[in-house]
Amino acid sequence: MSDRTPADQFFDAAIGLLQRVRDEEADAVTAAGALLADTVAAGGRLFAFGAGHSSLAAQDVVYRAGGLALMNLLAVPGAVGVDVMPATLGSALERVDGLAAAVLDSAPIRAGDALVIVSLSGRNALPVEMAMNARALGIKVIGVTSVAYATRTSSRHTSGTYLKDHCDVVLDSKIAVGDAELTLDTVPAPFAPASTVVTSALMQAVMATAAGALADRGIEPPLLRSGNVDGGHDWNARVFDQYADRIFYRR
């Protein structure tokens, strides 16, 4: 009998997935970071969107110490899933046709900007239409998704396509369909999801790549510092003032 606990097994699974995305998605991470750096250098703005638990990875790069100050959250009320009652309404909203167009029409995003769309399955109408409509508006799209879903599930969009089909760069999280890493004979369902760990790591790898790419071009990356270190608030105030026309979460 193995003495490896479920916690040990989960950490091993998460570490294995992180190693896979580090090795197998290196070119895509570089391309995504370069796309964001290009956008910043050209005067564009950066946005991130995710629905359901995918929103966690999007939120993680917005107003973040050590992160790019220009990354704004493209918010869809109710789509986070846990900000409405019942929580299942959030899942239902992901399947509503036309919602993405309404969101983009009312958001400050415009041609020349970049949008990172996070969707584990990439099969629902909201992320698919978000990517399709954004590109039609002249916005560059980076998709963070599990490509496996496109071969193991059916699309819920009328086009029959997935998020991965409408992106300038695709980052594959390698998460298995179902997003549960562990099974036990004594537990009736698979458990222990790792998508948030892996997707957030991919997002931060892209942000780090973008910052490095900007520095390589002689452009100071617009980074935020922690407000809990001396001088942090003064530093951030300078960044907020310098990029006031490209930061929307302060308004």
Side-chain angles (χ1 to χ4, degrees):
M1 182 175 179
S2 173
D3 58 357
R4 294 173 66 249
T5 67
D8 292 333
Q9 295 176 54
F10 176 76
F11 281 123
D12 287 346
I15 291 168
L17 285 163
L18 289 170
Q19 290 174 331
R20 282 193 65 194
V21 297
R22 179 194 63 190
D23 297 340
E24 298 174 21
E25 297 301 297
D27 289 345
V29 168
T30 298
L35 189 158
L36 294 186
D38 289 344
T39 303
V40 173
R45 296 85 57 82
L46 311 179
F47 294 82
F49 164 77
H53 283 91
S54 292
S55 71
L56 296 174
Q59 293 177 57
D60 191 48
V61 296
V62 176
Y63 186 46
R64 182 63 193 252
L68 293 173
L70 305 191
M71 185 60 70
N72 300 279
L73 188 67
L74 189 64
V76 179
V80 173
V82 295
D83 64 341
V84 293
M85 293 290 287
T88 50
L89 176 59
S91 298
L93 289 173
E94 289 187 66
R95 300 192 291 271
V96 174
D97 292 333
L99 179 56
V103 171
L104 289 170
D105 286 345
S106 61
I109 196 167
R110 66 190 183 194
D113 293 344
L115 171 61
V116 184
I117 300 176
V118 186
S119 174
L120 177 60
S121 72
R123 68 187 296 219
N124 288 308
L126 184 54
V128 173
E129 290 185 358
M130 189 76 74
M132 294 174 66
N133 293 356
R135 292 182 87 191
L137 293 171
I139 298 161
K140 295 294 186 180
V141 175
I142 297 169
V144 186
T145 187
S146 171
V147 173
Y149 275 83
T151 61
R152 298 277 304 278
T153 69
S154 59
S155 171
R156 287 176 173 155
H157 187 252
T158 54
S159 67
T161 61
Y162 298 78
L163 170 61
K164 72 175 185 63
D165 300 317
H166 306 284
C167 299
D168 296 281
V169 180
V170 175
L171 297 169
D172 184 3
S173 64
K174 316 294 182 181
I175 299 295
V177 174
D179 193 18
E181 293 300 318
L182 304 185
T183 58
L184 285 176
D185 292 341
T186 53
V187 178
F191 61 105
S195 61
T196 304
V197 172
V198 177
T199 303
S200 291
L202 272 171
M203 294 285 282
Q204 293 297 348
V206 170
M207 299 303 120
T209 301
L214 286 167
D216 288 343
R217 304 178 195 190
I219 301 172
E220 179 184 335
L223 298 169
L224 295 175
R225 302 191 70 174
S226 172
N228 295 312
V229 300
D230 291 343
H233 288 300
D234 291 338
W235 173 282
N236 292 341
R238 175 182 66 81
V239 174
F240 289 146
D241 181 65
Q242 183 177 352
Y243 293 96
D245 61 332
R246 299 156 77 178
I247 297 173
F248 298 97
Y249 50 81
R250 282 180 49 92
R251 298 179 182 179

